Amino acid sequence: MKSGFRPNQSDPIIDPVGRPLVSAIVRTVGRDTLPRTLESLERQTWRPIEIVVVQAREHLSQAIASSLPLRVLDGRTLDRPRAANAGLAAASGEWLIFLDEDDTIEPDHVASLLGAAMAARSPVAYSQTRLVDATGATQRLLGGPFRRELLQRSNYLAIHAVLFSRRFVDQGVRFDESLATFEDWDFWLQLAQRCDFAFLPRPTAIYHASTGNSGAGAGANLDREAVLEQRARLMRKWGLG
């Protein structure tokens, strides 16, 4: 397992002349929170950004529009990991980030993560995350300095807290389509096999964990029995106790 990443001098993390394109991948099943999510992308201080919306249910009637370059993948029934992989396949940015339709990010989220990646010379950077309730009140903060052994015990990275280089996609890293949930945790473990992550010690990701229906969130969106079952499955896959 590699403990660090050292880029080639001919392969800079951020081109000092041309600003790298960031692809934001949004998985949607047609929730009414999607416009709020797209608006938080439009408010980003970083440019250029493209949005790749993966419609994970057939016949969604909700109109999808943005002032940013937008690509919409239509008309299939996809579960969480397959929708994520479809987004990876369609994205063209040098850097990639996920933002599900029920979450948001602060305006400086992408720019700050790119800055953290550049400072650490790392192909992965993540921020802290504010877990909020249905009223928007902060319940707690998620995330701390990168520790591989801690990530192997618990996923402290919200999916939209992490920005990563597309080099992993080019190397064949994908979401495990056999996992109903925790597909993001498994993906981070794959990346952590290859490098350390840069940490931004500020909460620039906002996790509306109680408003979804995955069963893996918080409050009403928590199926504890299913979470424990899926966690045990992930631990077995990685040979972790």
Side-chain angles (χ1 to χ4, degrees), residues 21-28 50-56 70-74 76 78-100 159 164 166 169-170 173-175 177 183 187:
L21 174 66
V22 174
S23 295
I25 300 169
V26 179
R27 299 178 292 185
T28 177
E50 69 166 7
I51 302 176
V52 178
V53 176
V54 182
Q55 296 192 109
L70 176 68
R71 185 177 311 157
V72 180
L73 308 185
D74 292 319
R76 289 178 290 171
L78 299 172
D79 59 15
R80 292 162 59 95
R82 287 178 175 80
N85 283 334
L88 290 180
S92 56
E94 297 174 51
W95 291 85
L96 307 171
I97 192 167
F98 281 88
L99 181 58
D100 287 343
I159 192 169
F164 57 96
R166 76 165 299 108
V169 180
D170 295 340
V173 181
R174 295 293 186 276
F175 287 79
E177 296 183 354
E183 76 285 355
F187 191 78

Side-chain angles (χ1 to χ4, degrees), residues 22-37:
V22 174
S23 295
I25 300 169
V26 179
R27 299 178 292 185
T28 177
V29 293
R31 295 191 182 102
D32 59 9
T33 54
L34 178 60
R36 180 187 68 186
T37 296

